[in-house]
Amino acid sequence: MELHHYLLNLRERWRSGLVAALIVVLAVAGLTAMQSPVYRGTSQVFVQARTGNGVEDLNSGASFASQQIMSYAELATTPYVLDEVIGDLGLEITPARLAKDVKVTVEEGSFLIRISASANDPQMAARIADSTAENLQEAVASLSPASTANSVELRIVADAVVPETPTSPNILRNALLGIVLALLAGIGTALVRSLLNTRVRTIEDLQGSTDRIVLGAIPASRSGEDASRILVQNPYSVASESYRELRTNLQFVKLVENRRSVLVTSSLPGEGKSTATVNLAHVLAMSGARVLLVDADLRSPSVHRILGLEGDAGLTTVLIGQAQLEEVTQFAGIDGLDVITSGAIPPNPSELLGSPAMEDLLEEASGRYDVVLVDAPPLLAVTDAAVLSQAVGGVLVVAQSDRVRRAEFERALAKLETVDANVVGLVLNRVRGVSGSVYAYGSPEARAVLAAEAEDREAAARAEAEGGASDPSSDGSHPHADEAGPEAHAGPGAASPRRPGRRKAVRRPVSGRQAEIDRDRELESLGGPHGEH
């Protein structure tokens, strides 16, 4: 896994990481608070050799003291010394237990023994250190009687000072340790949860190990926003731009046998396929195409509820022969967009969707509209979408980020592969954490600049048209006009061969400023504001 994947996982799982970090911090703080304060007192004893006055005696005594000093340090923590300390101080403790609280150290090359004692009472810590030093002095004196050859005596050179602050717990050290452990716990928890999560979250998860085509990624709507009306409520939002990008990418897909219908489905219920279909229909109609939206979810229809339309008569009414296509077509409130709701829920939805009547309806609709969008049920829930995929030009699969599992998504695609469906692309829906805001080109000053540039382009286009009028080849009878085969009309954004002269459903990618002009025109078609955003 690359670094940006780790960072993305941390960003997505920061809440669980934060919880783990807080738990560690609270645990360290609790343990610190539960620890009893420990004080330490230290006394110092100097080891001195008693020798004669000669240089040889001095050297011999120093060498003897150096050899014996480590033995004296070990002697300080033996019962021979500590029994006397316990008796002097009246302690109710064993020598072995007291030895754990007494620490004796000797620096290399030094004749100084440092005796440190720890206790919960600062005065007791100093008294234990001093008593140990005194009893060690007496023990060495009794074990090393004076002689003319070599003898060693111990002198207490520094009594223990009563400590004012405890040595344990070390609050600063524990705080630093807690911070480090909290960071490790937070990062580790976030990464482990992310690695163990088998849900589809990113475009890479959609693509898998194959080279699947992802046509778009739609960010999750913010609180208070209606996802199905995002293009109207906030046309300059990141979500609105994502649908425009999806519209642009959709024009490059290749449909089967030049069928101008695209089926939109998902793996599971609740992944937002109907909302995505409605918004895609909106943005296609805004570009000048005539779009028909068909609600083919005959089990749990929702398009009529999203758009506020009548749902009693619709697709099922036509399929059973009780109405014609134009009789159940409803205007969606946006120029160029018509809707056929599902109608009454039938007892045999799969049979109706796979019937010749459904194929005839789609063929008739393709002759009247530039694009036909079909909202179908989820793939894993029922077989309706797989059956209907045989009658459309292509299938668009919507996957909600962090909802559908990768195994479920793979099973859904396998169902389409089994029936040899033409999957034209994938859409990652409701992606969290997409940053962005409204476009800066919405100011009045920027609009004035864009309007001036638009006038310049229109003038240049008129001049080019006038110059081409004298060209004999510009009379509309292009010598190769009839040679364009199905490839020339592969995408749903291309002009219909049955309706010459209509605008294309999806324009080719344009420059950033030209895109702003297109957005303004779309706002005009919606009756939206033209002032500052």
mmCIF file of all heavy atoms in Angstrom, residues 480-514:
data_model
loop_
_atom_site.group_PDB
_atom_site.id
_atom_site.type_symbol
_atom_site.label_atom_id
_atom_site.label_comp_id
_atom_site.label_asym_id
_atom_site.label_seq_id
_atom_site.Cartn_x
_atom_site.Cartn_y
_atom_site.Cartn_z
ATOM 1 N N HIS A 480 -19.703 12.997 -47.555
ATOM 2 C CA HIS A 480 -19.560 11.770 -46.769
ATOM 3 C C HIS A 480 -20.567 11.728 -45.632
ATOM 4 O O HIS A 480 -20.372 11.014 -44.658
ATOM 5 C CB HIS A 480 -18.138 11.662 -46.193
ATOM 6 C CG HIS A 480 -17.078 11.696 -47.251
ATOM 7 N ND1 HIS A 480 -16.818 10.631 -48.075
ATOM 8 C CD2 HIS A 480 -16.212 12.678 -47.618
ATOM 9 C CE1 HIS A 480 -15.831 10.939 -48.922
ATOM 10 N NE2 HIS A 480 -15.457 12.178 -48.647
ATOM 11 N N ALA A 481 -21.628 12.510 -45.755
ATOM 12 C CA ALA A 481 -22.563 12.589 -44.642
ATOM 13 C C ALA A 481 -23.256 11.276 -44.389
ATOM 14 O O ALA A 481 -23.606 10.950 -43.266
ATOM 15 C CB ALA A 481 -23.601 13.691 -44.911
ATOM 16 N N ASP A 482 -23.488 10.495 -45.410
ATOM 17 C CA ASP A 482 -24.221 9.248 -45.242
ATOM 18 C C ASP A 482 -23.317 8.063 -44.970
ATOM 19 O O ASP A 482 -23.782 6.934 -44.853
ATOM 20 C CB ASP A 482 -25.057 8.951 -46.498
ATOM 21 C CG ASP A 482 -26.118 10.009 -46.711
ATOM 22 O OD1 ASP A 482 -26.549 10.580 -45.695
ATOM 23 O OD2 ASP A 482 -26.501 10.242 -47.877
ATOM 24 N N GLU A 483 -21.992 8.322 -44.873
ATOM 25 C CA GLU A 483 -21.078 7.209 -44.688
ATOM 26 C C GLU A 483 -20.782 6.936 -43.229
ATOM 27 O O GLU A 483 -20.082 5.996 -42.919
ATOM 28 C CB GLU A 483 -19.764 7.485 -45.433
ATOM 29 C CG GLU A 483 -19.955 7.589 -46.945
ATOM 30 C CD GLU A 483 -18.643 7.886 -47.635
ATOM 31 O OE1 GLU A 483 -17.609 7.890 -46.948
ATOM 32 O OE2 GLU A 483 -18.644 8.104 -48.844
ATOM 33 N N ALA A 484 -21.285 7.795 -42.355
ATOM 34 C CA ALA A 484 -21.003 7.595 -40.935
ATOM 35 C C ALA A 484 -21.777 6.395 -40.438
ATOM 36 O O ALA A 484 -22.988 6.338 -40.554
ATOM 37 C CB ALA A 484 -21.398 8.840 -40.136
ATOM 38 N N GLY A 485 -21.071 5.443 -39.900
ATOM 39 C CA GLY A 485 -21.708 4.223 -39.427
ATOM 40 C C GLY A 485 -22.118 4.344 -37.980
ATOM 41 O O GLY A 485 -22.176 5.424 -37.414
ATOM 42 N N PRO A 486 -22.409 3.237 -37.320
ATOM 43 C CA PRO A 486 -22.835 3.249 -35.921
ATOM 44 C C PRO A 486 -21.796 3.837 -34.995
ATOM 45 O O PRO A 486 -22.150 4.383 -33.962
ATOM 46 C CB PRO A 486 -23.076 1.747 -35.624
ATOM 47 C CG PRO A 486 -23.340 1.138 -36.968
ATOM 48 C CD PRO A 486 -22.506 1.905 -37.937
ATOM 49 N N GLU A 487 -20.528 3.736 -35.343
ATOM 50 C CA GLU A 487 -19.499 4.271 -34.455
ATOM 51 C C GLU A 487 -19.621 5.772 -34.292
ATOM 52 O O GLU A 487 -19.189 6.333 -33.300
ATOM 53 C CB GLU A 487 -18.101 3.924 -35.001
ATOM 54 C CG GLU A 487 -17.791 2.451 -35.064
ATOM 55 C CD GLU A 487 -17.773 1.847 -33.693
ATOM 56 O OE1 GLU A 487 -17.418 2.558 -32.761
ATOM 57 O OE2 GLU A 487 -18.136 0.676 -33.558
ATOM 58 N N ALA A 488 -20.188 6.446 -35.290
ATOM 59 C CA ALA A 488 -20.316 7.892 -35.199
ATOM 60 C C ALA A 488 -21.371 8.290 -34.202
ATOM 61 O O ALA A 488 -21.432 9.436 -33.780
ATOM 62 C CB ALA A 488 -20.658 8.479 -36.569
ATOM 63 N N HIS A 489 -22.226 7.366 -33.782
ATOM 64 C CA HIS A 489 -23.293 7.691 -32.839
ATOM 65 C C HIS A 489 -23.226 6.769 -31.636
ATOM 66 O O HIS A 489 -24.235 6.366 -31.093
ATOM 67 C CB HIS A 489 -24.667 7.546 -33.519
ATOM 68 C CG HIS A 489 -24.753 8.293 -34.826
ATOM 69 N ND1 HIS A 489 -24.778 9.656 -34.886
ATOM 70 C CD2 HIS A 489 -24.811 7.853 -36.121
ATOM 71 C CE1 HIS A 489 -24.868 10.045 -36.172
ATOM 72 N NE2 HIS A 489 -24.878 8.961 -36.928
ATOM 73 N N ALA A 490 -22.007 6.426 -31.239
ATOM 74 C CA ALA A 490 -21.869 5.405 -30.203
ATOM 75 C C ALA A 490 -22.365 5.894 -28.860
ATOM 76 O O ALA A 490 -23.045 5.196 -28.143
ATOM 77 C CB ALA A 490 -20.402 4.963 -30.097
ATOM 78 N N GLY A 491 -21.989 7.105 -28.438
ATOM 79 C CA GLY A 491 -22.298 7.568 -27.098
ATOM 80 C C GLY A 491 -23.684 8.138 -26.995
ATOM 81 O O GLY A 491 -24.281 8.557 -27.972
ATOM 82 N N PRO A 492 -24.249 8.161 -25.754
ATOM 83 C CA PRO A 492 -25.579 8.700 -25.554
ATOM 84 C C PRO A 492 -25.639 10.186 -25.758
ATOM 85 O O PRO A 492 -26.724 10.751 -25.850
ATOM 86 C CB PRO A 492 -25.899 8.323 -24.101
ATOM 87 C CG PRO A 492 -24.580 8.161 -23.465
ATOM 88 C CD PRO A 492 -23.672 7.636 -24.516
ATOM 89 N N GLY A 493 -24.490 10.855 -25.835
ATOM 90 C CA GLY A 493 -24.488 12.296 -26.040
ATOM 91 C C GLY A 493 -24.500 12.684 -27.488
ATOM 92 O O GLY A 493 -24.602 13.862 -27.828
ATOM 93 N N ALA A 494 -24.401 11.713 -28.409
ATOM 94 C CA ALA A 494 -24.363 12.049 -29.825
ATOM 95 C C ALA A 494 -25.755 12.357 -30.325
ATOM 96 O O ALA A 494 -26.764 11.977 -29.757
ATOM 97 C CB ALA A 494 -23.766 10.877 -30.611
ATOM 98 N N ALA A 495 -25.826 13.086 -31.475
ATOM 99 C CA ALA A 495 -27.117 13.453 -32.022
ATOM 100 C C ALA A 495 -27.811 12.225 -32.597
ATOM 101 O O ALA A 495 -27.187 11.320 -33.118
ATOM 102 C CB ALA A 495 -26.945 14.495 -33.130
ATOM 103 N N SER A 496 -29.134 12.202 -32.469
ATOM 104 C CA SER A 496 -29.902 11.056 -32.942
ATOM 105 C C SER A 496 -29.935 11.020 -34.450
ATOM 106 O O SER A 496 -30.199 12.022 -35.096
ATOM 107 C CB SER A 496 -31.338 11.142 -32.392
ATOM 108 O OG SER A 496 -32.134 10.147 -32.994
ATOM 109 N N PRO A 497 -29.698 9.853 -35.096
ATOM 110 C CA PRO A 497 -29.736 9.760 -36.545
ATOM 111 C C PRO A 497 -31.148 9.927 -37.084
ATOM 112 O O PRO A 497 -31.343 10.240 -38.236
ATOM 113 C CB PRO A 497 -29.204 8.361 -36.820
ATOM 114 C CG PRO A 497 -29.442 7.598 -35.569
ATOM 115 C CD PRO A 497 -29.310 8.577 -34.459
ATOM 116 N N ARG A 498 -32.161 9.713 -36.221
ATOM 117 C CA ARG A 498 -33.537 9.875 -36.673
ATOM 118 C C ARG A 498 -34.000 11.324 -36.585
ATOM 119 O O ARG A 498 -35.078 11.651 -37.042
ATOM 120 C CB ARG A 498 -34.461 8.999 -35.823
ATOM 121 C CG ARG A 498 -34.112 7.514 -35.837
ATOM 122 C CD ARG A 498 -35.076 6.766 -34.922
ATOM 123 N NE ARG A 498 -34.794 5.350 -34.907
ATOM 124 C CZ ARG A 498 -33.954 4.766 -34.088
ATOM 125 N NH1 ARG A 498 -33.287 5.491 -33.235
ATOM 126 N NH2 ARG A 498 -33.755 3.477 -34.127
ATOM 127 N N ARG A 499 -33.219 12.143 -35.923
ATOM 128 C CA ARG A 499 -33.626 13.539 -35.698
ATOM 129 C C ARG A 499 -32.484 14.448 -36.092
ATOM 130 O O ARG A 499 -31.801 14.993 -35.248
ATOM 131 C CB ARG A 499 -33.977 13.737 -34.223
ATOM 132 C CG ARG A 499 -35.092 12.815 -33.754
ATOM 133 C CD ARG A 499 -35.055 12.643 -32.242
ATOM 134 N NE ARG A 499 -35.162 13.921 -31.564
ATOM 135 C CZ ARG A 499 -36.331 14.445 -31.203
ATOM 136 N NH1 ARG A 499 -37.453 13.821 -31.486
ATOM 137 N NH2 ARG A 499 -36.369 15.590 -30.578
ATOM 138 N N PRO A 500 -32.213 14.624 -37.377
ATOM 139 C CA PRO A 500 -31.082 15.441 -37.808
ATOM 140 C C PRO A 500 -31.262 16.881 -37.383
ATOM 141 O O PRO A 500 -32.363 17.425 -37.399
ATOM 142 C CB PRO A 500 -31.108 15.294 -39.340
ATOM 143 C CG PRO A 500 -32.509 14.903 -39.661
ATOM 144 C CD PRO A 500 -32.989 14.090 -38.527
ATOM 145 N N GLY A 501 -30.156 17.477 -37.052
ATOM 146 C CA GLY A 501 -30.172 18.891 -36.723
ATOM 147 C C GLY A 501 -30.373 19.181 -35.247
ATOM 148 O O GLY A 501 -30.334 20.330 -34.845
ATOM 149 N N ARG A 502 -30.626 18.142 -34.382
ATOM 150 C CA ARG A 502 -30.800 18.408 -32.959
ATOM 151 C C ARG A 502 -29.445 18.598 -32.289
ATOM 152 O O ARG A 502 -28.434 18.141 -32.754
ATOM 153 C CB ARG A 502 -31.520 17.232 -32.302
ATOM 154 C CG ARG A 502 -32.972 17.103 -32.739
ATOM 155 C CD ARG A 502 -33.686 16.129 -31.819
ATOM 156 N NE ARG A 502 -33.482 16.483 -30.407
ATOM 157 C CZ ARG A 502 -34.166 17.440 -29.793
ATOM 158 N NH1 ARG A 502 -35.065 18.152 -30.449
ATOM 159 N NH2 ARG A 502 -33.944 17.705 -28.535
ATOM 160 N N ARG A 503 -29.506 19.274 -31.116
ATOM 161 C CA ARG A 503 -28.262 19.480 -30.366
ATOM 162 C C ARG A 503 -27.797 18.165 -29.767
ATOM 163 O O ARG A 503 -28.589 17.275 -29.493
ATOM 164 C CB ARG A 503 -28.496 20.483 -29.231
ATOM 165 C CG ARG A 503 -28.794 21.883 -29.706
ATOM 166 C CD ARG A 503 -29.014 22.780 -28.518
ATOM 167 N NE ARG A 503 -27.817 22.807 -27.701
ATOM 168 C CZ ARG A 503 -27.773 23.428 -26.524
ATOM 169 N NH1 ARG A 503 -28.820 24.008 -26.025
ATOM 170 N NH2 ARG A 503 -26.664 23.438 -25.839
ATOM 171 N N LYS A 504 -26.533 18.081 -29.569
ATOM 172 C CA LYS A 504 -25.983 16.881 -28.935
ATOM 173 C C LYS A 504 -26.340 16.886 -27.457
ATOM 174 O O LYS A 504 -26.415 17.917 -26.818
ATOM 175 C CB LYS A 504 -24.454 16.844 -29.095
ATOM 176 C CG LYS A 504 -24.017 16.609 -30.533
ATOM 177 C CD LYS A 504 -22.516 16.453 -30.587
ATOM 178 C CE LYS A 504 -22.058 16.155 -32.003
ATOM 179 N NZ LYS A 504 -20.614 15.981 -32.080
ATOM 180 N N ALA A 505 -26.518 15.682 -26.936
ATOM 181 C CA ALA A 505 -26.902 15.571 -25.529
ATOM 182 C C ALA A 505 -25.782 16.016 -24.613
ATOM 183 O O ALA A 505 -26.012 16.611 -23.585
ATOM 184 C CB ALA A 505 -27.295 14.134 -25.209
ATOM 185 N N VAL A 506 -24.556 15.732 -24.974
ATOM 186 C CA VAL A 506 -23.416 16.068 -24.123
ATOM 187 C C VAL A 506 -22.348 16.706 -24.977
ATOM 188 O O VAL A 506 -21.890 16.113 -25.937
ATOM 189 C CB VAL A 506 -22.841 14.804 -23.431
ATOM 190 C CG1 VAL A 506 -21.703 15.185 -22.526
ATOM 191 C CG2 VAL A 506 -23.936 14.091 -22.650
ATOM 192 N N ARG A 507 -21.965 17.900 -24.601
ATOM 193 C CA ARG A 507 -20.922 18.577 -25.375
ATOM 194 C C ARG A 507 -19.555 18.045 -24.994
ATOM 195 O O ARG A 507 -19.365 17.492 -23.935
ATOM 196 C CB ARG A 507 -20.992 20.087 -25.112
ATOM 197 C CG ARG A 507 -22.274 20.721 -25.626
ATOM 198 C CD ARG A 507 -22.228 22.204 -25.370
ATOM 199 N NE ARG A 507 -22.266 22.484 -23.946
ATOM 200 C CZ ARG A 507 -23.394 22.699 -23.277
ATOM 201 N NH1 ARG A 507 -24.553 22.609 -23.894
ATOM 202 N NH2 ARG A 507 -23.378 22.970 -22.005
ATOM 203 N N ARG A 508 -18.602 18.275 -25.872
ATOM 204 C CA ARG A 508 -17.243 17.848 -25.588
ATOM 205 C C ARG A 508 -16.641 18.731 -24.505
ATOM 206 O O ARG A 508 -17.098 19.843 -24.267
ATOM 207 C CB ARG A 508 -16.392 17.931 -26.870
ATOM 208 C CG ARG A 508 -16.812 16.881 -27.890
ATOM 209 C CD ARG A 508 -15.771 16.742 -28.949
ATOM 210 N NE ARG A 508 -16.131 15.674 -29.854
ATOM 211 C CZ ARG A 508 -15.838 14.420 -29.651
ATOM 212 N NH1 ARG A 508 -15.196 14.073 -28.558
ATOM 213 N NH2 ARG A 508 -16.191 13.492 -30.521
ATOM 214 N N PRO A 509 -15.601 18.220 -23.828
ATOM 215 C CA PRO A 509 -14.995 19.007 -22.765
ATOM 216 C C PRO A 509 -14.578 20.379 -23.253
ATOM 217 O O PRO A 509 -14.027 20.537 -24.335
ATOM 218 C CB PRO A 509 -13.769 18.161 -22.349
ATOM 219 C CG PRO A 509 -14.117 16.782 -22.763
ATOM 220 C CD PRO A 509 -14.953 16.920 -24.001
ATOM 221 N N VAL A 510 -14.865 21.386 -22.430
ATOM 222 C CA VAL A 510 -14.565 22.767 -22.786
ATOM 223 C C VAL A 510 -13.630 23.350 -21.753
ATOM 224 O O VAL A 510 -13.344 22.755 -20.728
ATOM 225 C CB VAL A 510 -15.870 23.610 -22.872
ATOM 226 C CG1 VAL A 510 -16.723 23.139 -24.026
ATOM 227 C CG2 VAL A 510 -16.644 23.508 -21.568
ATOM 228 N N SER A 511 -13.182 24.561 -22.029
ATOM 229 C CA SER A 511 -12.256 25.233 -21.119
ATOM 230 C C SER A 511 -12.982 25.633 -19.847
ATOM 231 O O SER A 511 -14.210 25.644 -19.779
ATOM 232 C CB SER A 511 -11.682 26.488 -21.797
ATOM 233 O OG SER A 511 -12.718 27.415 -22.061
ATOM 234 N N GLY A 512 -12.208 25.996 -18.815
ATOM 235 C CA GLY A 512 -12.793 26.350 -17.530
ATOM 236 C C GLY A 512 -13.745 27.517 -17.607
ATOM 237 O O GLY A 512 -14.847 27.503 -17.057
ATOM 238 N N ARG A 513 -13.366 28.569 -18.363
ATOM 239 C CA ARG A 513 -14.239 29.731 -18.436
ATOM 240 C C ARG A 513 -15.473 29.464 -19.287
ATOM 241 O O ARG A 513 -16.573 29.929 -18.988
ATOM 242 C CB ARG A 513 -13.456 30.925 -18.988
ATOM 243 C CG ARG A 513 -12.330 31.360 -18.056
ATOM 244 C CD ARG A 513 -11.778 32.711 -18.442
ATOM 245 N NE ARG A 513 -10.853 33.187 -17.444
ATOM 246 C CZ ARG A 513 -10.281 34.391 -17.484
ATOM 247 N NH1 ARG A 513 -10.566 35.211 -18.460
ATOM 248 N NH2 ARG A 513 -9.445 34.749 -16.530
ATOM 249 N N GLN A 514 -15.295 28.721 -20.358
ATOM 250 C CA GLN A 514 -16.454 28.378 -21.164
ATOM 251 C C GLN A 514 -17.414 27.515 -20.355
ATOM 252 O O GLN A 514 -18.638 27.624 -20.501
ATOM 253 C CB GLN A 514 -16.014 27.620 -22.420
ATOM 254 C CG GLN A 514 -17.187 27.206 -23.312
ATOM 255 C CD GLN A 514 -17.975 28.396 -23.840
ATOM 256 O OE1 GLN A 514 -17.382 29.433 -24.144
ATOM 257 N NE2 GLN A 514 -19.277 28.248 -23.902
#
